[in-house]
């Protein structure tokens, strides 16, 4: 699932890109209105995170143009202008939600997930026996109890749960778990598989190693 992030502050754009990628989204990040417009015209995004104060245009204007051409992509506006007037104006012009700077990253992630879910474009929750995983919020539960997972453990579980009982090849995991543009080493993948196993095995959920190939999540009734 791909998001467009429009933010002109370099440091903030990097931080937000990193956080959203860590939460499992593909992110295209741009720093001005012109690039944002170009990206929106050619790309298809699950949602847009839009800063209002941009160097070449006002984010609100960008939003207005987007809605005028009938594009209903959900938009989360980031703004330092926390006055009520701006919020009302923004919502009238088609923003779906607001976040006032400064904000905490988990708050941003929660709002993004909620907007995608509300728009009905998010992936379905996955379940595997007593284990449940929400690919959007990256939260896992077993028998209703929350399971603590790191970002990479969550990505690994996501990949395995997308295809239970089927092989997930190691090179695909290297790509999925790696940072943008770089792959994770195969030894590192083994470390994450080991950690995830330790969390799942007490509940009878097993990850089988297929030597030289990859891993598979055993079907709950496979033993
Ligand atoms: Ca700005």
């Amino acid at each position: 699932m791909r998001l467009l992030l429009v933010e002109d502050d370099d440091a903030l754009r990097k931080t937000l890109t990193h956080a959203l990628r860590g939460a499992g989204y593909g992110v295209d990040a741009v720093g001005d209105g012109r690039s944002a417009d170009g990206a929106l015209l050619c790309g298809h995004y699950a949602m847009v995170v839009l800063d209002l104060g941009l160097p070449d245009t006002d984010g609100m204007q960008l939003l207005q143009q987007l809605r005028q051409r009938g594009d209903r992509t959900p938009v989360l506006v980031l703004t330092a202008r926390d006055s009520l007037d701006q919020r009302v104006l923004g919502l009238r012009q088609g923003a779906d939600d607001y976040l006032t700077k400064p904000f905490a990253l988990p708050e941003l992630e929660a709002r993004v997930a909620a907007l995608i879910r509300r728009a009905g474009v998010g992936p379905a929750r996955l379940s595997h026996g007593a284990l449940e995983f929400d690919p959007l919020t990256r939260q896992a539960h077993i028998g209703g109890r929350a399971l603590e997972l790191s970002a990479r453990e969550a990505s690994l579980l996501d990949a395995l749960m997308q295809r239970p009982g089927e092989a997930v090849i190691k090179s695909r995991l290297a790509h999925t778990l790696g940072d943008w543009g770089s792959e994770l080493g195969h030894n590192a993948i083994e470390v994450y598989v080991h950690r995830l196993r330790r969390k799942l095995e007490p509940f009878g959920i097993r990850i089988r190693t297929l030597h030289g190939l990859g891993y598979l999540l055993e079907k709950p009734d496979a033993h």
Side-chain angles (χ1 to χ4, degrees):
M1 186 163 313
R2 191 152 281 278
L3 314 184
L4 179 67
L5 168 67
V6 189
E7 169 61 65
D8 63 313
D9 182 294
D10 288 344
L12 187 57
R13 188 172 62 248
K14 275 179 198 149
T15 303
L16 298 182
T17 301
H18 187 75
L20 291 169
R21 282 189 183 138
Y25 303 104
V27 180
D28 286 347
V30 296
D32 59 70
R34 212 186 127 127
S35 316
D37 217 26
L40 283 165
L41 284 169
C42 353
H44 183 77
Y45 296 98
M47 72 165 292
V48 183
V49 178
L50 176 66
D51 176 35
L52 288 189
L54 297 170
D56 57 342
T57 182
D58 190 285
M60 208 60 92
Q61 206 178 330
L62 200 79
L63 178 60
Q64 215 174 359
Q65 287 164 0
L66 186 75
R67 295 303 183 230
Q68 271 167 5
R69 58 177 185 258
D71 192 326
R72 304 305 309 159
T73 307
V75 174
L76 170 66
V77 159
L78 304 180
T79 179
R81 306 168 195 173
D82 56 350
S83 76
L84 190 61
D85 287 356
Q86 282 293 333
R87 282 169 192 253
V88 171
L89 182 64
L91 289 169
R92 276 208 196 118
Q93 287 178 341
D96 298 272
D97 199 6
Y98 263 95
L99 208 47
T100 306
K101 293 177 183 176
F103 50 81
L105 291 176
E107 174 72 10
L108 172 73
E109 287 169 27
R111 298 282 191 102
V112 165
L115 263 193
I116 292 175
R117 181 76 80 210
R118 220 196 295 161
V121 292
R125 289 181 180 84
L126 304 168
S127 69
H128 182 77
L131 175 64
E132 291 183 351
F133 181 73
D134 185 337
L136 212 46
T137 61
R138 325 289 290 164
Q139 305 285 316
H141 289 85
I142 289 190
R145 272 174 48 200
L147 198 65
E148 290 282 329
L149 298 177
S150 70
R152 278 190 169 138
E153 288 162 3
S155 297
L156 175 63
L157 183 61
D158 190 4
L160 292 167
M161 283 188 77
Q162 297 283 351
R163 307 169 66 186
E166 287 179 44
V168 179
I169 59 171
K170 232 175 182 177
S171 56
R172 205 198 126 199
L173 289 174
H175 185 71
T176 308
L177 302 188
D179 288 323
W180 195 63
S182 71
E183 293 202 342
L184 197 67
H186 284 201
N187 289 343
I189 293 174
E190 278 165 29
V191 171
Y192 290 112
V193 169
H194 176 73
R195 287 184 192 161
L196 188 58
R197 262 191 190 128
R198 275 209 319 230
K199 294 180 180 178
L200 297 180
E201 282 189 349
F203 300 95
I205 294 162
R206 291 182 172 79
I207 301 170
R208 196 195 304 164
T209 301
L210 305 167
H211 290 287
L213 184 66
Y215 303 93
L216 72 74
L217 191 61
E218 286 187 359
K219 291 210 166 133
D221 55 352
H223 44 83

